[in-house]
Amino acid sequence: MAKKKLRILVVNGPNLGHLGVRQPEIYGTQGMDAVPGMVCDLLGKNAAEVSLEFFQSNSEGGIIDRLTKAWEDKVDALVVNAGAYTHTSLALADCLAWIKLPCVEVHLSNLAARTDDPLRQRSFVGRHSIGVIAGFGILGYGLAVQALWKRLRG
């Protein structure tokens, strides 16, 4: 009998619906459409065991509603790039704390290097994540899925 696919929800917060065109000097030129192929490359023969779902919202409430639905739907794991809500949203942190789904926090830029704005070095999401990947651009999403697969299946 074939293994049940690992369902991973990739959640993007505000302004991340325009990856590839928004400030490419910071965030790169690839959009989210590049992620499935990247995951296939990183997971190789194991890529068939993963089902990716994508969600993006500029609304804090929309993100929390989708995370709650992921819990209800028994999604296996999360990749979360909460954008600016990373640094400000106790409500998002509270949601991640109670749904307790394995989560990897992703950031396209290196938060520790964002010395222009110390607020951007703090994360409310990270404390509810099994790991954080930052500074590798869109590759971070693929690395997060690979890490979740390894943690849950490897």
Side-chain angles (χ1 to χ4, degrees):
M1 184 165 97
K3 287 184 185 176
K4 174 183 137 320
K5 283 193 174 203
L6 191 63
R7 289 179 59 205
I8 299 176
L9 174 63
V10 178
V11 176
N12 277 317
N15 300 308
L16 292 166
H18 300 292
L19 287 179
V21 294
R22 174 188 171 222
Q23 295 174 284
E25 68 282 1
I26 296 173
Y27 302 112
T29 57
Q30 290 183 298
M32 289 304 292
D33 57 336
V35 172
M38 186 182 308
V39 167
C40 286
D41 290 345
L42 290 168
L43 290 178
K45 64 180 173 51
N46 299 314
E49 294 182 28
V50 175
S51 172
L52 293 178
E53 301 171 42
F54 295 89
F55 177 79
Q56 189 277 326
S57 178
N58 293 322
S59 161
E60 184 178 30
I63 295 167
I64 292 167
D65 289 345
R66 184 61 185 99
L67 291 172
T68 302
K69 183 166 179 11
W71 175 79
E72 291 168 352
D73 292 345
K74 298 185 179 10
V75 166
D76 296 300
L78 304 167
V79 174
V80 176
N81 182 346
Y85 291 135
T86 298
H87 321 291
T88 62
S89 180
L90 290 171
L92 178 56
D94 287 349
C95 180
L96 289 169
W98 81 261
I99 66 173
K100 292 184 176 26
L101 291 173
C103 175
V104 173
E105 179 183 17
V106 168
H107 294 284
L108 301 169
S109 63
N110 181 353
L111 298 184
R114 299 288 297 264
T115 56
D116 58 317
D117 186 354
L119 175 66
R120 291 188 183 272
Q121 294 178 332
R122 177 181 70 195
S123 171
F124 288 113
V125 173
R127 63 187 74 168
H128 303 293
S129 302
I130 60 174
V132 177
I133 298 173
F136 294 98
I138 202 159
L139 176 62
Y141 293 98
L143 295 170
V145 171
Q146 183 181 39
L148 286 165
W149 181 88
K150 186 74 172 163
R151 174 59 89 63
L152 299 172
R153 291 276 170 90

